[in-house]
Amino acid sequence: MKREILQTLDGSTTIHLPDWNESYHSKHGAIQEAYHVFIQNGLNTFNSQPLSILEIGFGTGLNAFITFLESKKSNQKIDYYGVEAYPISTDEISQMNYVSELNAISENTIFDRLHECEWETKNIISPLFTLTKRKQFFEQIEDEDKYDLIYFDAFGYRVQPELWSTEIFKKMYKSLKSKGTLVTYAARGVVKRSLIEVGFKVEKLPGPPGKREMFRATKFEL
């Protein structure tokens, strides 16, 4: 499938799939979206405690890189797991401008390492941050009671509704620890119904720039 590099409205880059008219991040701002959805409404709700995080759609590595930067800032220990069936190319990685846009030039080698480190193994990125990248389809996830937080960043329901199914969310629910949280940019009614069906308590929150709403879902077991 054809892929193009685009600049979003906040100056940060993303990958666009013209055949689907779908992008890896919001055209209104890749970095703005990542901070709003996954950091402000996900990571920052855990008060700097050690966390195990699963990202559904490792993609360009933006969410992982920002989470690394936040862990360093708050001295927070994070074990990060990124699932990606179709890793992006070295050429595409080189065109992502997140290091400069985040004013993180001193961490340029870290961004490169997030992409260059081995798959299917735990990589020590820093004393506070480990990364395990898993090349697999989302339906192959079989973790149980492992994660405190899930960044659910799959392609949108319009182009891949199967990634937002009850079956997938059952796997997400099962993989979270009790009181664990899933955050996503999505806000469709069909997505909310699937989340509720598998047992999540769902909150509708203000969305990032260009999007009115988003969801945060919490696992509460009886």
Side-chain angles (χ1 to χ4, degrees):
M1 186 179 295
K2 184 180 179 183
R3 287 139 71 113
E4 302 171 339
I5 307 300
L6 295 183
Q7 186 177 77
T8 65
L9 291 181
D10 68 1
S12 56
T13 49
T14 191
I15 297 174
H16 181 68
L17 308 176
D19 292 344
W20 282 359
N21 190 27
E22 180 79 354
S23 298
Y24 278 57
H25 310 96
S26 168
K27 65 182 181 181
H28 296 278
I31 287 175
Q32 286 184 143
E33 177 187 47
Y35 266 106
H36 181 90
V37 176
F38 303 112
I39 304 303
Q40 179 181 326
N41 289 299
L43 181 66
N44 288 352
T45 66
F46 283 88
N47 299 317
S48 298
Q49 69 194 65
L51 291 182
S52 179
I53 299 175
L54 172 66
E55 180 181 13
I56 298 300
F58 184 78
T60 65
L62 173 58
N63 294 332
F65 186 54
I66 289 177
T67 302
F68 162 79
L69 295 176
E70 291 297 308
S71 77
K72 186 175 180 180
K73 187 189 305 181
S74 62
N75 201 40
Q76 183 175 20
K77 189 177 188 311
I78 293 175
D79 291 320
Y80 198 97
Y81 298 79
V83 174
E84 179 60 60
Y86 301 102
I88 69 173
S89 69
T90 302
D91 180 59
E92 289 168 325
I93 294 165
S94 70
Q95 296 181 72
M96 297 299 106
N97 66 355
Y98 307 139
V99 172
S100 59
E101 289 297 312
L102 288 163
N103 296 312
I105 301 301
S106 63
E107 306 294 354
N108 186 56
T109 56
I110 295 293
F111 181 72
D112 290 341
R113 179 153 166 68
L114 295 178
H115 288 284
E116 293 168 356
C117 67
E118 292 185 31
W119 290 76
E120 318 303 338
T121 189
K122 179 174 282 192
N123 299 275
I124 299 174
I125 305 300
S126 77
L128 290 170
F129 192 93
T130 68
L131 172 63
T132 304
K133 296 186 296 184
R134 290 162 32 183
K135 190 175 180 180
Q136 64 180 164
F137 294 105
F138 304 156
E139 59 266 26
Q140 296 172 321
I141 294 171
E142 298 293 345
D143 301 313
E144 292 187 40
D145 301 314
K146 184 171 183 176
Y147 306 109
D148 301 287
L149 176 61
I150 293 176
Y151 295 169
F152 200 89
D153 201 15
F155 284 131
Y157 183 90
R158 178 181 61 84
V159 296
Q160 287 195 302
E162 68 276 9
L163 302 183
W164 303 84
S165 65
T166 300
E167 290 70 27
I168 293 294
F169 286 131
K170 280 180 182 176
K171 290 179 177 292
M172 299 300 101
Y173 190 89
K174 190 175 182 181
S175 69
L176 281 170
K177 299 174 186 177
S178 181
K179 299 183 181 179
T181 299
L182 178 152
V183 283
T184 181
Y185 64 87
R188 282 178 176 255
V190 64
V191 172
K192 182 179 181 180
R193 288 190 291 273
S194 290
L195 287 165
I196 291 172
E197 183 178 343
V198 304
F200 281 109
K201 177 184 177 182
V202 180
E203 302 171 78
K204 187 179 287 186
L205 304 171
K211 192 168 179 60
R212 192 170 75 251
E213 296 166 336
M214 60 163 281
F215 289 145
R216 180 168 60 208
T218 306
K219 176 180 181 176
F220 286 109
E221 296 179 309
L222 297 177

